[in-house]
Amino acid sequence: MALIALPAHAVVIRHDVDDANYRIETSDFPALVDIPGSGHGTLIAPQWVVTAAHTLPQDHALTQVTINGQIRPVERVIVHPGYKTIPQELFDQAMATGEAVLILTIIGSSDDIALIKLTTPATDVKPIALYAGNEEFGQTFRFIGKGATGEGSKGYSPMSSQRTELRHGFNKVTSAYDRWFCYQFDTGASALPLEAVGGNGDSGGPALFDVDGEWVVAGMMSWKLAGGDVRTANQGLYGQINCNVRISHYRQWIESEIASDPAGH
């Protein structure tokens, strides 16, 4: 079986739970950041957003984002020095053969994280704190996004829209090490009441832990594994494994970059 390694993530839901149960309003999580086109981030300080690096334009020339329904100008972007882009040659080969294993090896070894500094602080939105621990394994988390959606019994087409309605879902961490923590789309008795996984279009969106009644950012949606031909295979099926950027691995880098900024916000 071929493995598809694809950037992405929104909310793909259980086939036996009404979609209305997954829908949420913007006011439920105003710190969610919309990257132009597709992709998300999270406001973690009044003037700072954390996101997955691959959500950014190739030249990283991001000029604005949207937070809580308002367009916010961007002052600058800081991409982690360990971020790796996928060579066009590998994309071309994957489109010719349907096999993308070497793309997976690059994604897995890449530091898929970036910081966005806003031109002015977003004073109308409460930032979300970073997870202070490093014991992700076995924890249940919540994630949020507007990307492609579908049901686990049939998945969704790679050609599906990558901007839909705002949804949230839940899952449990099945592995955590180094840059990543990962999880699987379960069904039946093993599934959570609002079990879900990501769909294309919302990479960079937050994976949240509940710590003493407060949501904190523990990860960011980044990539997934799926079986079949990368050109045609449905995604978001039960059994799919998704991986999130592990904030605990990067917390020191995030805090150092913000602290070293001349404005110090």
Side-chain angles (χ1 to χ4, degrees), residues 53 56 60 77-84 111 113-115 253 257:
L56 302 171
H60 304 151
V77 173
I78 304 171
V79 177
H80 194 286
Y83 174 62
K84 301 175 183 177
D111 296 297
I113 185 169
L115 291 168
W253 176 79
E257 290 292 339

Side-chain angles (χ1 to χ4, degrees), residues 22-34:
Y22 289 90
R23 299 283 189 98
I24 60 173
E25 300 294 330
T26 300
S27 58
D28 291 336
F29 196 80
L32 184 70
V33 178
D34 290 345

Side-chain angles (χ1 to χ4, degrees), residues 87 126 139 157 170-171 176 185 245:
K126 181 182 177 181
Q139 292 210 46
S157 167
F170 295 81
N171 212 300
F185 197 2
V245 176

